[in-house]
Amino acid sequence: MNPWLDRLLTRPRRGFLCMFPAAALLSACGGGGSNNGPVVSTLDFPVETAVSVYMQSDHAFPNLTGSLDGTNFTMSYTFTPGALAAFEGHTAHTATESAVLTVNGVQSQVTSISYFAVDPYVSYGSLDQDTLEYAVVNQTANLPTTAKVGQSGVLGDEISYVDSSKAQVSDTSTLGWSLEADTATTALFCINVNVNNTSVGDGSQCYRVDANGTVRDLVIRVNVNGSTLTLK
């Protein structure tokens, strides 16, 4: 398996901001609720509240699956909030995110710590505990209080460094959000990551939410050489 694909599949690990994003995406996240295709809900969805609530509780998505060009992928993803910690001059909430990816029986794992604020949600960055990659997010816009299907916006940018010394940049990314069709009562809230290194690629992390702001499912999408791998 290509290392950049492995990294992208586990990169959108920063909750709702990579939650990095892992996007230049398809027009829908995939994994919609209707056999006849996604339905455009007319409801308002409380995006910012959904994100802030989600980021403060445990989550597990143990059986995300997908296939691409005859290769089968399985991912197990967990999100575990931790103690407050200092990060880039902020006193930040933290969460440990772990993704175990299995490709044709071969496993790889990424574990990282995300740093963020809530109410409103602001991403500060992350530290990859396996590679020591250190990412700093410059969030230039807040998530909307509410949004309707079809709306989207920018969030900011991210610089990833080889380590916390910040002596060497590994890549940069632009971050955005979109709310996409799913069912009459749910929508797919996506954080889209456009990596500014064409050898790496793009991806998105999408969450099925209802009008109460409850997150029900996770969908991860990665662009791979012009094709899209969707795990759901």
Side-chain angles (χ1 to χ4, degrees), residues 56-137:
Q56 296 178 77
S57 58
D58 293 340
H59 301 280
F61 301 95
N63 295 304
L64 303 173
T65 61
S67 62
L68 182 68
D69 297 333
T71 300
N72 296 319
F73 298 81
T74 302
M75 178 184 283
S76 173
Y77 171 85
T78 60
F79 180 95
T80 307
L84 296 175
F87 185 87
E88 294 291 312
H90 304 283
T91 300
H93 290 264
T94 67
T96 299
E97 298 181 71
S98 179
V100 179
L101 181 69
T102 303
V103 184
N104 290 337
V106 179
Q107 284 191 346
S108 59
Q109 181 171 349
V110 170
T111 302
S112 68
I113 299 175
S114 297
Y115 300 86
F116 55 92
V118 294
D119 300 320
Y121 175 79
V122 178
S123 176
Y124 298 135
S126 66
L127 173 63
D128 191 310
Q129 294 190 300
D130 303 290
T131 66
L132 301 183
E133 182 182 70
Y134 186 82
V136 179
V137 174

Side-chain angles (χ1 to χ4, degrees), residues 3-40:
W4 69 264
L5 176 57
D6 178 73
R7 180 163 171 264
L8 264 177
L9 283 167
T10 51
R11 179 176 186 139
R13 59 190 178 270
R14 290 179 287 281
F16 274 88
L17 258 186
C18 126
M19 274 203 122
F20 247 130
L25 325 162
L26 294 180
S27 60
C29 285
S34 171
N35 292 332
N36 297 319
V39 175
V40 179

Side-chain angles (χ1 to χ4, degrees), residues 54-55 107 118 188 197 213 216-217:
Y54 175 96
M55 298 296 286
Q107 284 191 346
V118 294
L188 291 170
N197 176 349
R216 298 184 177 182
D217 295 300

Side-chain angles (χ1 to χ4, degrees), residues 190-221:
C190 301
I191 294 295
N192 305 321
V193 180
N194 187 353
V195 183
N196 300 318
N197 176 349
T198 56
S199 67
V200 175
D202 303 310
S204 65
Q205 187 160 316
C206 302
Y207 296 81
R208 179 169 290 111
V209 297
D210 62 25
N212 295 320
T214 302
V215 174
R216 298 184 177 182
D217 295 300
L218 172 67
V219 178
I220 292 176
R221 181 178 58 224

